């Protein structure tokens, strides 16, 4: 299998810290709810944590742009990014431990 074919089967999981003005949490929540691949993990007075899971790496940068363009958002920081083949994510954790 070619490396590029393998990348097409990857799932990208990322988390962002969204720094926003006080009172902008509702706008951030609305932006997150408009994107089915985003989840609001934590909401604070001036910062929130958003998780993204997508099959396309470019979606991550699109979501960063979406969040940055939300009224009241000051900055979006990519904190974590992991890519893994979907087949690996579908395996039970115990099944890989039993094989050892």
């Amino acid at each position: 299998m070619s490396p590029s074919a393998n990348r097409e089967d990857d799932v990208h999981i990322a988390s962002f810290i969204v720094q926003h003005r006080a009172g902008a949490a509702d706008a951030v929540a609305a932006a997150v709810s408009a994107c089915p691949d985003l989840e609001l993990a934590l909401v604070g007075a001036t910062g929130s944590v958003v998780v993204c899971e997508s099959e396309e790496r470019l979606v991550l940068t699109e979501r960063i742009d979406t969040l940055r363009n939300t009224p009241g958002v000051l900055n979006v920081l990519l904190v974590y990014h992991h890519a893994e083949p979907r087949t690996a994510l579908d395996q039970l954790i115990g099944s890989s431990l039993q094989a050892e």
Side-chain angles (χ1 to χ4, degrees):
M1 182 179 307
S2 72
S4 62
N6 191 19
R7 286 188 193 134
E8 292 174 8
D9 295 333
D10 284 352
V11 174
H12 296 268
I13 301 167
S15 62
F16 314 119
I17 293 178
V18 181
Q19 297 173 316
H20 52 77
R21 297 187 189 284
D26 289 342
V28 171
V32 168
S33 67
C35 299
D37 46 24
L38 291 181
E39 179 181 331
L40 193 55
L42 181 67
V43 179
T46 59
S48 299
V49 177
V50 177
V51 177
C52 180
E53 182 176 326
S54 175
E55 294 180 2
E56 297 181 38
R57 182 173 43 106
L58 293 177
V59 168
L60 301 179
T61 56
E62 290 173 3
R63 296 303 174 250
I64 289 171
D65 289 342
T66 296
L67 292 167
R68 276 191 182 140
N69 291 328
T70 301
V73 169
L74 304 171
N75 197 13
V76 179
L77 305 166
L78 174 66
V79 176
Y80 176 81
H81 175 222
H82 175 77
E84 190 164 338
R86 177 156 306 279
T87 55
L89 291 174
D90 290 340
Q91 290 179 344
L92 294 175
I93 293 174
S95 65
S96 63
L97 295 176
Q98 292 173 357
E100 294 178 2

